[in-house]
Every structure is written in C-alpha cells, then in structure tokens.
C-alpha cells in the first residue's frame, strides 16, 4: 500500500530488482555495427540490435513505455520486460526474442488499459479470482476483431501471457499477479481445443494459377526488358561531357532519329510530378527530362524557349510515344503483342518492384521457405549438386533458418527447381547490396523489404490485372483475394502432404524437426506412408512435389 501512495504523491519509483543503468540486452548476441542497446531507466527501448531476422521492421523491436500513463504500472512493465529478456521463465526452454517481448508488452499495456477503464483503482495484486480475467479474455478476443476461426488460438495466447505474468511476479516490485490464473488449468481447458490443422488460409487454385503464371512470366520474359531498361537508364544518366556541337543541333538530330524510326516523341507521364514551369502545353506534352537524357543535353538547355518550341513542333508532326525509352518490349506469346508500352523512369521503378514481387512469389512458393528464410538469401546463394544416385543435377539455394534455432540463425540449404534458380539469377542482376530482397527506389536506403512484402504481393496482383488482362485472377466471394506470405508455404504444404510419402518429404524440405509439425501445415490426409523409405529418397521427393504443383501454372 505504501508504494501505491508514493506513486500517487509523485515520488520517483525505483525497482528493487534492477539497477537503473542495467543493459537490458546484456548476454544476447548483438549485431556488430550497433552499440550495447538501451538501459533499464530509459523510457524507449530500441532493441533491433538483438534481432537478426532479415524481415524485421524496426517498430517490431521497440518498446515505448511512456504509452503507459500510470508510473507504477510503467515500472511494472519495465521489470516484466527486463525479466523476460534476461531470465528463462518457468515453463520456457529459452529466452524469448525481443520481438516476442515487445508483443507481450503490448498485451500488458492492453491489460492495464482494461483495468483502468473497467476497474478503476484495481491493481494486479487485487485480482483474487478469475472474474476480471474472464472479462478481459472476452474483451480481447470474443468482442475483438479476430476471425471466428482464430478465437481459440488468440484466447490461448492471452491465457499463456497471463501465466507468464504470474510466473515473473518475483521480479516485480510494486504490483504483481499473486494468484495463478484459472488455477493453472491448461490453455486447452480455458481457451478450447485448437484445430490440428494450421489455420492459415490456402490460396484457392483458381486464384493461384494465374498469379503464379504471371510471376513466372515476369521472371522469364519481363525481367529481360526490365534489366535492359535499367542498363539504358544507367547509360543515359552518365555525365554528358564536353559537347561537340550545339544544343539545338543535338536536339534536331534526336528528332530526326525519331522520325526515321517512325516513333513519336517521349510523352510526359500523366502522373509524373513536375515543377510548376513544366506544367504547360507549350512543349506539346513532351517528357523534356527524358528527351534531355536521350539526346545528351543538359536539363537547363532543353528548357530554353526556342528548344521548347522545337519539341512542340516535333510532337505535332510525329505524335507522342508512351514511355519513350529506347529499350524494346518483348512480345507476350499469349497475346502476340508487347506486354507493356515502353519505359520511362517512373514506370521502370514500378516494374522493378513488380519484378521483385514476382521473384519472391516464385522463390517462396516453389521452395517452401518461410518469409524470414527467403529474405535471408544473398547473392551467390544458388548452387548445384548431383543427387544421391548421381543421376540428377539438383538446384539448391543456401540461406538461414531462424525458427527454433540460435538467435542469429543457422545456415541451411533447400533443394529447389529450375524456376527458383532463374528467379535468384534475376534478383542477383537487380541487387547492388548484400541481400537479394531489398526496397528498391527509396533514397539513401538499402533496407530489406521486411513486412512491406505483404502489400507488395497485393500490388503485384493489381499489376497483373493491367499487364495480363487475358489471364485474370478471379474474385473470391465477390472480393479480391488478399495475399500474405504465409499462404504460399501453407498451400504447397497441403499439396505435398497429400502425395505418397509427401509428409516425410515435406518435413525435410520445410526444415521441421518432427513429421507432426509438417502435418499441421498439410492438414487432414490419407495415410500414404506405407513401406520404408530412406530420408535421402524422401528428401528428393520434396522438390519433386513442388515441381508437380508448379505444373498448375502451365
């Protein structure tokens, strides 16, 4: 009670268990290019230094304690987080990741908010029965925004968090949960039995087929044009050097070249952002910046009134060409026409991001990789090895497995099929840093795509609707399908698991320790594991099953 009065009087609260200058990440492996991390007294803990997954977003490993107004509960939250970061809690096998601790902090903050709103002046130590916790569980899950099929899982997560809060009570100074929630009953008793099958949605075949066909088209056809356009862009952005003739002469030569090729002048994109003095029709709608690059003229000189008039006259005579760059566009064999208009700088950047998404789809779907594993791939990760019997030359990629491994992950390899090798080759041509998947077009940034990949996957679907209208992605229940990274692994796992010897092959391909783990992905199936097969033979069936499902796109 004294501690509570001190808090209300505004006196500073000091933990009886942790010194104010303690490093909260002490003992954890940290990235080499960062400092030791935050100290206990700080109100914001940036802990990305201790999280090594490449698909990590900085916000996932940051705790802002000032979001808890009550100073007593703010200190309680710090002590809880510190305890979880530095001590193995009863019932756990290892220290949790910093992202897990951040997630638990958010749950603790929600609990404090619930108590403040519904039960003013009630502290954790006052919860002598399960009445309030039952109400909180209903408030968090049953009355929340979770899908009905996820209620049991979410109730189980909340129940486990409250158990952890009880088990860390000896590390909390002023307020603690003194009663074991629900008398220690299992999560199954409190939350209900979880479904044995993974609840992540499988992508419907009618949706997946055109989506995968589009991804393969980008990897095998569109990539050649995108890479050629990038090379052209790099060339036309080189310094002009000392001119040998006048600006007007070079501009006239450029126009004459266009006339001879039967091409129009590069059109100004409708959605491009231009300075105010460019937003006129005095140039006939010509993309002056691109003309300056292609004709090797300075931007300033092309804006002179005489040259602007020359462009207007050329546009009136030759017309306008969408895009305007010189890179030719490949023919889509399914339509007999170029798959898109010519490029300009903005459309090229958009197509680079689209190609990145296509490579991601091909890589994760036809390998069974997790998102973190795919985003760990680096240039040079692809190699080939003969199969165990020496008959087949197998494609493999080398990456990092994080789940269930040491915090920095363990290097491992996946047997893949040829389209994955092709996607990796394309990515290696796109990248200029030490990772294959990174955010293209963001100034001063070589950050990984991280959680933005989910949005990128759905932007890719929208782009396919424009570029490949002859192969549309159908609606599901009248709505666009919302793609997420987990769906690809789940979908192909279901297919592999329903083939003879598929569960064993999938367990090996998916880097699961136990067959039962893979069965959760594969879902209910007929038992095909008759007879005996060596792990080598079954491991070869993993990529063979991926090849079978790749045929869906044929």
């Amino acid at each position: 009670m004294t501690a509570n009065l001190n808090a209300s009087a505004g006196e500073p609260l000091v933990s009886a268990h942790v010194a104010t200058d303690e490093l909260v990440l002490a003992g954890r492996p940290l990235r080499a290019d960062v400092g030791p991390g935050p100290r206990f007294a700080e109100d914001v803990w940036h802990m990305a230094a201790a999280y090594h997954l490449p698909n990590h977003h900085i916000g996932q490993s940051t705790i802002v304690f000032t979001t808890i107004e009550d100073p007593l509960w703010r200190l309680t939250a710090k002590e809880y987080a510190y305890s979880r970061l530095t001590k193995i809690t009863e019932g756990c096998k290892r220290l949790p990741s910093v992202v897990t601790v951040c997630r638990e902090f958010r749950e603790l903050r929600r609990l404090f908010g619930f108590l403040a709103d519904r039960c003013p002046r009630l502290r954790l130590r006052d919860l002598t029965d399960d009445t309030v916790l039952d109400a909180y569980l209903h408030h968090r899950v049953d009355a929340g925004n979770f899908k009905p099929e996820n209620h049991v899982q979410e109730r189980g997560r909340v129940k486990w968090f409250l158990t952890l809060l009880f088990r860390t009570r000896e590390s909390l100074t002023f307020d603690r949960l003194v009663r074991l929630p629900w008398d220690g009953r299992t999560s199954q008793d409190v939350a209900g039995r979880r479904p044995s099958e993974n609840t992540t949605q499988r992508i419907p075949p009618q949706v997946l087929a055109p989506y995968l066909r589009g991804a393969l088209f980008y990897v095998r056809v569109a990539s050649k044009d995108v890479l050629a356009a990038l090379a052209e862009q790099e060339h036309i952005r080189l310094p002009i050097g000392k001119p040998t003739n006048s600006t007007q002469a070079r501009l006239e030569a450029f126009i004459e070249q266009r006339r001879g090729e039967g091409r129009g002048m590069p059109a100004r994109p409708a959605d491009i952002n231009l300075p105010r003095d460019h937003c006129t029709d005095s140039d006939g709608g010509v993309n002056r910046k691109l003309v300056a690059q292609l004709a090797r003229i300075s931007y300033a000189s092309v804006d002179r009134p005489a040259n602007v008039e020359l462009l207007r006259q050329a546009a009136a005579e030759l017309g306008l060409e969408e895009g305007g760059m010189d890179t030719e566009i490949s023919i889509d064999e399914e339509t007999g026409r170029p798959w898109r208009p010519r490029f300009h700088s903005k459309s090229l950047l958009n197509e680079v991001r689209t190609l990145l998404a296509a490579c991601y789809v091909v890589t994760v779907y036809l390998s069974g990789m997790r998102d973190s594993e795919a985003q760990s791939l680096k240039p040079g990760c692809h190699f080939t090895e003969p199969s165990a019997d020496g008959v087949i030359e197998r494609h493999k990629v080398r990456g990092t497995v994080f789940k269930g491994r040491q915090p920095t992950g363990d290097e491992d390899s996946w047997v893949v099929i040829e389209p994955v090798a092709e996607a990796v080759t394309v990515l290696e041509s796109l990248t200029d840093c030490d990772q294959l998947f990174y955010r293209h077009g963001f100034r001063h940034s070589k950050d990984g795509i991280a959680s933005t990949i989910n949005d990128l996957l759905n932007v890719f679907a929208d782009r396919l609707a424009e570029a490949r209208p002859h192969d549309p992605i159908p609606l599901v229940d009248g709505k666009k399908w919302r793609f997420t990274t987990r769906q690809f692994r789940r979908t192909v796992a279901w297919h592999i698991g329903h083939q003879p010897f598929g569960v064993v092959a999938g367990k090996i391909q998916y880097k699961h320790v136990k067959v039962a783990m893979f069965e959760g992905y594969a879902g209910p199936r007929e038992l095909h594991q008759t007879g005996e097969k060596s792990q080598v033979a079954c491991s070869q069936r993993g990529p063979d099953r991926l090849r079978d499902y790749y045929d869906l796109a044929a």
Side-chain angles (χ1 to χ4, degrees), residues 375-379 431-438 446:
Q375 293 200 40
S376 75
L377 298 178
K378 300 180 181 298
T431 188
D432 61 354
C433 61
D434 65 348
Q435 55 187 331
L436 291 184
F437 292 104
Y438 75 93
K446 286 293 185 289

Side-chain angles (χ1 to χ4, degrees), residues 249-303:
R250 278 176 285 161
L251 189 55
E252 288 173 346
F254 174 76
I255 294 172
E256 182 58 34
Q257 179 185 352
R258 288 273 166 157
R259 184 181 290 112
E261 294 173 349
R263 297 173 61 187
M265 298 295 289
R268 182 171 64 239
D271 59 347
I272 197 169
N273 294 321
L274 293 174
R276 181 172 297 178
D277 60 344
H278 281 63
C279 298
T280 68
D281 292 327
S282 60
D283 56 12
V286 175
N287 187 342
R288 290 189 235 169
K289 181 176 181 179
L290 181 56
V291 167
Q293 291 175 327
L294 293 170
R296 311 302 291 155
I297 304 170
S298 69
Y299 300 154
S301 61
V302 82
D303 285 343

Side-chain angles (χ1 to χ4, degrees), residues 120 230 393 520 553:
L230 285 172
E393 190 76 9

